[in-house]
Amino acid sequence: MRFACHGECPKNRFILTPDGEPGLNYLCAGYKAFFTHVDRPMRIMADLLRQNRYADEVMGILAQQEAALVAAAARAGRNEACPCGSGLKAKRCHGSPARQSQAEAPRPGAAG
């Protein structure tokens, strides 16, 4: 996560821990969630740029990966673990009917 903010943004935003100790950065959870969410797409975009390709190709790559994951979940038994590694059963994660219909639906602006 340091690749994005280098630890500078919230450096002076500290509160006490639940035990009363100083030094708890109160934005850590939000930053961690955000940077965890954007880490994979940002790394893919960086690789694309290194290859002299357009960064917006990341959307197609992510859509293909999501479709492959949904297909793998469809092959998995409903009570088996989802192939994404979430720890949830496939029927409650990428194997759910709502998730499958999202993967099959055409995306706005997608060539097809």
Side-chain angles (χ1 to χ4, degrees), residues 20-59:
E21 296 177 28
L24 177 65
N25 186 315
Y26 69 88
L27 295 178
C28 283
Y31 275 109
K32 183 174 181 177
F34 172 75
F35 289 119
T36 299
H37 177 74
V38 301
D39 183 53
R40 194 170 119 241
M42 293 293 283
R43 290 181 189 278
I44 293 170
M45 285 191 291
D47 289 339
L48 288 169
L49 292 171
R50 281 188 209 103
Q51 298 168 16
N52 292 321
R53 294 171 59 188
Y54 293 106
D56 65 355
E57 293 179 40
V58 71
M59 298 308 291

Side-chain angles (χ1 to χ4, degrees), residues 65-66 68-96 99-100:
Q65 290 175 351
E66 179 70 14
L69 192 56
V70 169
R75 289 190 301 271
R78 288 179 38 80
N79 290 318
E80 292 178 23
C82 185
C84 75
S86 67
L88 297 173
K89 292 182 179 183
K91 67 183 177 186
R92 300 234 183 253
C93 195
H94 286 88
S96 73
R99 200 74 181 250
Q100 290 174 352

